[in-house]
Amino acid sequence: MKFQMRRCNECGEYTLEDICPDCNVKTGVIYPARYSPQDKYGKYRRILKKQQEQQQKEG
């Protein structure tokens, strides 16, 4: 059985469970997505990053 370390978004507690045992909130996986040379969404991430940088300069 494969386990992944998870972290609660509310209290920051680390666990292996899908739900935090302390505050009963859904946890998220702490590992980044696997890299792929055939990145289907890289174009959209770069566009979004450029838009966010422009918004920070303006505001």
Side-chain angles (χ1 to χ4, degrees):
M1 189 169 204
K2 183 178 177 183
F3 293 103
Q4 286 191 334
M5 182 71 76
R6 302 177 78 80
R7 185 171 184 213
C8 177
N9 296 328
E10 285 289 318
C11 65
E13 189 70 30
Y14 289 95
T15 182
L16 295 174
E17 304 294 325
D18 291 334
I19 304 292
C20 178
D22 294 336
C23 58
N24 294 324
V25 176
K26 189 174 180 179
T27 59
V29 178
I30 60 172
Y31 305 110
R34 183 172 284 164
Y35 172 75
S36 172
Q38 293 103 11
D39 189 3
K40 297 177 185 178
Y41 303 106
K43 172 182 162 185
Y44 301 107
R45 271 197 308 279
R46 288 187 289 275
I47 291 171
L48 180 62
K49 183 178 179 182
K50 188 181 260 188
Q51 288 175 350
Q52 289 174 346
E53 288 173 353
Q54 288 175 353
Q55 287 177 353
Q56 287 178 352
K57 288 180 184 178
E58 292 174 358

